[in-house]
Amino acid sequence: MSTTLGMRFVPTVGIVAINRLAVVLLLALQALAAQPGASNPLAGPLRELQFGQINFLHTTDTHGWHAGHLLEPSFSADWGDYVDFAQHLKDKLEAQGRDLLIVDTGDRIEGNGLYDASEPKGLFTFDIFREQHMDLICSGNHELYQQNSSENEYLITVPAYASSYIASNLDIRDPRTGEFVPMAPRYKKFTTKEQGIRIMAFGFLYNFDRNYNNTIVQRVEQTIQEEWFQEAIHDPDIDLFVVAGHSAIRSEEFDMIFKKIRSVRKDTPIQFFGGHYHIRDYRKFDSNAYGLASGRFMETIGFQSIDGLPSNSTQKTAPTFFRRYIDNNLYSLYHHSGHDSSTFHSDRGKNITRALHEARQALDLDQTFGCSAKDLWMSRAPYPSKNSIFSWLEEQVFPGIVNDTQRGDKPRLVISNTGAIRFDIFKGAFTKDSTFIICPFTSGFHYIKDVPYNKAKKLIKLLNGGGEIFAQVDATLALSRLEPVQQKGILQDIIVSETVDPAPLFAQGGHEMRVPTDVALIPGYTTIDDAGDDGDDTIHSPISFYRVPNCIQSLINPQAVDLETENVDVVFNEFIQPWILVGLKFLGLEYTDDDVAKYMPDENMTTMIAKWVSLNWPDDC
Ligand SMILES: [Zn+2]
Ligand SMILES: [Zn+2]
């Protein structure tokens, strides 16, 4: 591995600084792809890719962010740029006799205006996504919540990737025949073009159970007993197993698949690609088996290479595995492909970039509802605090907007799970796009009326600290399902000291890290995984991560009545209804689904936040 020190505008003196400034300006002028108005990438120190016989690019959990992050320089490249990057890398590698395979592990929809703002949803995204060649692709859980999204998968995405979509444990009711059929083939056996590596590939989904009833997700432990799977792993002519799966790489599901393959193939290399937890992660299963998770929201393009596989040459060596998390911006993509702004962008890539821009315009995603005076963070600020998005919801948004006129001034507890929020709010324009980015969920609020306050007030404590008791009632009620998904993979706070003072800053039970002071680095991912701390392509300064509770709550009491002997309405987002009912039961209150009604039936959290912003934030940024 070598390190390239990139350019960065820092206030130093002399000719060096002038050169650096010139390079930065040049970069700013020439970075003409990505979306119009997107932040230009900042040059930073980069770690190189290490190529192997076989190489992979991996995306996961893109959730509609195919236009990239317009407000964040580190992630400002779009899907058109990724298509160009993949092609350039493929050309470069194939010229050296190496292979490149492209993988996506699902959750391509829901979470960005580009997908969610159209009617029907996804009107523009399917055609844009399929412009990227894929060698392996599978479904995430988000494709399966709604009947129409899974049917889009079956009728649009599967045919577009007829030779690469794999559905090892997923069936769908064919809308044309009414019969349940496999979403796609169960496995794929193929030989790579350059190296002749013989691959057996699978496409799994974790044991997901909240799908709409037009799909069936077979539990992984059952699938791996099936005859077709047994035959596939007993196939003697396989050099490498590739398991693409929408699953955390540190999951029971991947453990089971790994053990099952190892029970018959004791050292055949296995490469897992996973996701779902929205984190960068790399797991060593054993010396011949690794798993890569490539983040979320088009922030990361995962790179994996393997060398030392049996191939055309008969030499038998131990395989070596290498991973890198590429920040999705043009500075990184130019560098790793060996191109610059004058050679990188093809007509094909530019057409995709243009299609994305036109879709964003047609959807009016830049329409501004108001201007945020500061950043509001999910996990970069402690909760509660003035910079926490959850404190903002609890203290300002819910009290300001959650009010069903049918219930008048009835005192109420408004409870939401923190997992309902998906992203930060940045200082500046809060747009139509922002509403879907921070909360793409279309489900509304529900309520139970006239619940004794002295019991209802204990609900939040149960939801946040109830431990195993909910899961003991029903395994699907594990409380961890309420928290933001990226928190599942980060089990303790990471608190970054912002001072250069030598006095260490300790987080209770957490990691403490210190920002290096010798280089001015851009804050960003500083991943630590099973291969160490050098996985990120861009060397960043670290960012704090504060865990948040499962749920937040506002107590709204307009008449300031004494609540102790009073009844209140318990209002909650629809998703958490099963936990609310079980929680109330623990508190001695028997309610069923029949006691639940819709609260503000024409609204949902997304529309309510948009309304609150329109009413409360100035609209000229
Ligand atoms: Zn996801
Ligand atoms: Zn997922």
Side-chain angles (χ1 to χ4, degrees):
M1 186 189 73
S2 69
T3 298
T4 306
L5 270 177
M7 278 65 67
R8 188 180 154 78
F9 178 44
V10 284
T12 50
V13 290
I15 196 139
V16 176
I18 293 165
N19 280 344
R20 284 177 177 180
L21 179 60
V23 169
V24 172
L25 285 176
L26 199 66
L27 199 70
L29 288 170
Q30 290 188 344
L32 293 177
Q35 289 300 293
S39 313
N40 286 310
L42 303 170
L46 289 180
R47 299 185 180 100
E48 301 293 340
L49 306 182
Q50 182 182 305
F51 300 124
Q53 287 167 289
I54 187 165
N55 305 272
F56 299 86
L57 293 176
H58 175 219
T59 49
T60 192
D61 297 272
T62 52
H63 286 288
W65 287 76
H66 304 108
H69 293 233
L70 280 73
L71 300 176
E72 292 177 277
S74 290
F75 315 123
S76 54
D78 67 24
W79 197 249
D81 302 321
Y82 179 42
V83 167
D84 278 338
F85 176 62
Q87 187 62 51
H88 290 313
L89 202 63
K90 195 178 179 73
D91 292 346
K92 177 174 168 173
L93 289 167
E94 287 184 355
Q96 301 169 5
R98 304 173 193 268
D99 288 300
L100 176 70
L101 302 180
I102 301 171
V103 184
D104 183 88
T105 47
D107 276 8
R108 291 173 284 275
I109 69 166
E110 297 182 338
N112 188 286
L114 186 69
Y115 176 85
D116 291 277
S118 65
E119 192 56 56
K121 290 176 186 295
L123 194 58
F124 300 100
T125 51
F126 291 100
D127 284 345
I128 288 168
F129 187 91
R130 64 199 272 179
E131 286 295 315
Q132 176 65 292
H133 169 80
M134 289 283 159
D135 294 284
L136 299 170
I137 180 170
C138 65
S139 176
N141 54 309
H142 273 263
E143 280 81 359
L144 310 180
Y145 284 105
Q146 312 278 341
Q147 181 175 355
N148 77 320
S149 58
S150 52
E151 288 180 354
N152 282 338
E153 208 56 18
Y154 183 61
L155 299 174
I156 302 172
T157 310
V158 170
Y161 295 110
S163 64
S164 48
Y165 204 116
I166 319 179
S168 296
N169 64 334
L170 175 61
D171 290 349
I172 186 167
R173 190 170 54 222
D174 186 322
R176 297 161 300 202
T177 65
E179 302 283 316
F180 275 94
V181 293
M183 175 73 95
R186 299 294 191 211
Y187 65 92
K188 174 180 175 181
K189 183 182 174 185
F190 62 109
T191 302
T192 64
K193 185 175 147 199
E194 299 293 328
Q195 292 275 324
I197 296 163
R198 299 164 302 173
I199 293 177
M200 178 67 75
F202 305 110
F204 276 94
L205 176 61
Y206 74 95
N207 290 336
F208 173 55
D209 57 13
R210 298 196 75 165
N211 47 320
Y212 191 77
N213 66 17
N214 70 322
T215 55
I216 296 171
V217 182
Q218 188 183 45
R219 294 185 67 84
V220 172
E221 54 269 41
Q222 285 173 293
T223 303
I224 59 177
Q225 305 298 345
E226 293 211 329
E227 205 174 306
W228 70 262
F229 187 82
Q230 290 297 323
E231 277 176 24
I233 61 176
H234 279 92
D235 187 327
D237 300 320
I238 297 300
D239 303 314
L240 172 69
F241 288 97
V242 178
V243 182
H246 191 79
S247 169
I249 54 172
R250 297 175 203 275
S251 62
E252 282 180 353
E253 288 89 341
F254 274 10
D255 284 346
M256 290 187 279
I257 297 166
F258 169 71
K259 284 181 189 146
K260 190 54 85 177
I261 297 174
R262 273 287 168 268
S263 70
V264 293
R265 304 298 297 268
K266 74 178 177 23
D267 56 9
T268 304
I270 310 170
Q271 177 65 50
F272 287 86
F273 292 98
H276 183 56
Y277 275 11
H278 292 187
I279 55 170
R280 294 179 174 187
D281 197 11
Y282 192 58
R283 177 182 177 191
K284 180 178 181 178
F285 289 80
D286 67 20
S287 59
N288 289 334
Y290 285 80
L292 180 70
S294 299
R296 59 169 193 179
F297 304 159
M298 279 286 284
E299 291 173 346
T300 304
I301 296 167
F303 173 83
Q304 173 78 48
S305 64
I306 310 173
D307 221 2
L309 291 167
S311 67
N312 297 336
S313 72
T314 49
Q315 184 102 23
K316 173 92 175 150
T317 48
T320 54
F321 293 74
F322 173 89
R323 57 82 184 93
R324 187 119 287 160
Y325 312 101
I326 300 172
D327 275 8
N328 181 36
N329 64 68
L330 288 175
Y331 182 76
S332 280
L333 302 189
Y334 291 164
H335 181 86
H336 296 306
S337 63
H339 282 259
D340 60 30
S341 58
S342 64
T343 59
F344 183 88
H345 299 284
S346 71
D347 286 344
R348 182 155 165 247
K350 283 191 270 193
N351 282 338
I352 301 166
T353 292
R354 192 176 311 123
L356 283 160
H357 178 60
E358 286 169 4
R360 287 183 52 82
Q361 287 200 308
L363 295 167
D364 203 11
L365 295 183
D366 294 325
Q367 181 196 341
T368 300
F369 292 133
C371 302
S372 180
K374 61 182 179 190
D375 298 324
L376 291 167
W377 303 113
M378 287 181 68
S379 57
R380 284 198 212 179
Y383 165 86
S385 78
K386 63 182 189 334
N387 295 318
S388 161
I389 195 168
F390 299 110
S391 296
W392 170 73
L393 287 168
E394 217 172 43
E395 293 163 15
Q396 299 187 51
V397 180
F398 291 166
I401 201 99
V402 183
N403 177 17
D404 191 320
T405 48
Q406 308 242 25
R407 299 297 294 162
D409 275 348
K410 187 83 189 170
R412 51 203 174 271
L413 290 173
V414 180
I415 303 175
S416 170
N417 63 315
T418 48
I421 297 299
R422 301 279 283 193
F423 204 63
D424 309 309
I425 294 175
F426 297 124
K427 181 181 176 189
F430 184 98
T431 62
K432 187 175 174 187
D433 201 17
S434 314
T435 61
F436 297 106
I437 286 171
I438 68 163
C439 185
F441 304 104
T442 50
S443 58
F445 277 96
H446 284 182
Y447 80 113
I448 302 171
K449 66 181 177 185
D450 301 329
V451 182
Y453 175 73
N454 62 8
K455 294 207 167 158
K457 71 179 180 186
K458 296 176 182 159
L459 200 48
I460 186 77
K461 207 169 168 190
L462 271 180
L463 293 169
N464 286 336
E468 299 293 301
I469 56 174
F470 285 83
Q472 281 162 6
V473 173
D474 180 341
T476 68
L477 293 182
L479 284 172
S480 60
R481 291 189 172 204
L482 299 176
E483 64 186 8
V485 70
Q486 65 273 20
Q487 183 165 303
K488 295 177 203 297
I490 302 175
L491 300 179
Q492 51 193 354
D493 288 353
I494 299 165
I495 299 173
V496 177
S497 162
E498 287 175 10
T499 64
V500 292
D501 191 290
L505 189 94
F506 290 108
Q508 205 166 17
H511 290 302
E512 190 268 335
M513 282 198 266
R514 193 161 292 289
V515 183
T517 54
D518 50 340
V519 194
L521 298 172
I522 305 159
Y525 281 105
T526 50
T527 310
I528 298 171
D529 59 28
D530 286 3
D533 62 1
D534 62 354
D536 303 298
D537 83 324
T538 309
I539 302 173
H540 287 293
S541 61
I543 293 174
S544 295
F545 187 99
Y546 296 90
R547 288 175 57 83
V548 295
N550 301 323
C551 291
I552 56 171
Q553 169 180 283
S554 296
L555 168 60
I556 305 173
N557 183 6
Q559 304 294 345
V561 294
D562 177 12
L563 290 172
E564 278 313 307
T565 54
E566 195 62 38
N567 290 339
V568 295
D569 289 344
V570 176
V571 183
F572 47 86
N573 54 339
E574 190 183 334
F575 179 82
I576 66 171
Q577 184 163 320
W579 287 272
I580 295 283
L581 291 173
V582 170
L584 289 170
K585 193 177 232 152
F586 286 138
L587 297 167
L589 298 171
E590 287 285 340
Y591 292 102
T592 68
D593 289 331
D594 296 337
D595 299 304
V596 176
K598 284 184 186 296
Y599 196 85
M600 302 176 74
D602 298 330
E603 304 284 352
N604 59 50
M605 190 124 103
T606 313
T607 61
M608 281 193 249
I609 292 171
K611 267 190 188 167
W612 186 91
V613 166
S614 303
L615 292 169
N616 291 280
W617 282 348
D619 60 4
D620 54 331
C621 305

